[in-house]
Amino acid sequence: MGRNSSFVYYALFIGIGILYPAYCSLVALQTSTKKDDTLWLIYWVVFASFNVFEALTDVLFSWFPFYSGLKLIFLTWCSAPFTYNGAYYVYKILIEPLFRNYGGHVDVVLTQAVETAKNVADKIPSYPQ
């Protein structure tokens, strides 16, 4: 998040970007339809992707005027309470094609990382009792 952001910005970011979508996700889990579940799963994938992208580019983008406000507008668009909101379009245009092309590669890397972690963990001596 931007270096010059205020408390009001952080409160809005948490409310718009996290609390409202979390509440809607909980409500969706209580319904019998899967459509609303999918809507909010898409939101969380976009939100996580956006945060990773932002973490990599924050130093550059935080200096742009109105960056914090534009980010809040983007999150509002993504969490809007209708089916074809911003998260849907970001997912369909950017994330889904990338995942289709590179998801298999990510699976291989993650599987290798888990195996390496297991091998390292097996070499750690047990704590004496």
Side-chain angles (χ1 to χ4, degrees):
M1 294 185 214
R3 298 186 188 332
N4 299 321
S5 298
S6 68
F7 173 77
V8 172
Y9 163 75
Y10 285 112
L12 288 171
F13 174 79
I14 290 169
I16 293 168
I18 299 171
L19 292 177
Y20 171 71
Y23 175 77
C24 291
S25 298
L26 288 170
V27 170
L29 289 172
Q30 301 304 312
T31 65
S32 59
T33 64
K34 292 182 79 175
K35 187 176 181 181
D36 53 358
D37 298 355
T38 302
L39 174 89
W40 290 108
L41 278 172
I42 287 173
Y43 172 80
W44 290 112
V45 167
V46 169
F47 182 79
S49 301
F50 176 72
N51 278 286
V52 169
F53 176 76
E54 185 187 30
L56 299 172
T57 60
D58 185 51
V59 172
L60 175 66
F61 288 134
S62 65
W63 294 100
F64 285 105
F66 309 113
Y67 172 67
S68 296
L70 291 172
K71 187 164 70 168
L72 289 175
I73 291 169
F74 173 75
L75 289 173
T76 302
W77 179 56
C78 285
S79 65
F82 45 87
T83 304
Y84 300 113
N85 60 16
Y88 174 83
Y89 288 109
V90 171
Y91 177 76
K92 287 295 185 182
I93 293 169
L94 295 173
I95 297 172
E96 186 178 46
L98 283 171
F99 185 74
R100 248 188 277 119
N101 290 332
Y102 301 106
H105 301 295
V106 173
D107 286 342
V108 169
V109 170
L110 288 175
T111 300
Q112 290 173 346
V114 167
E115 289 302 317
T116 301
K118 285 179 183 177
N119 291 337
V120 169
D122 288 343
K123 294 178 182 176
I124 297 173
S126 298
Y127 182 75
Q129 293 186 8

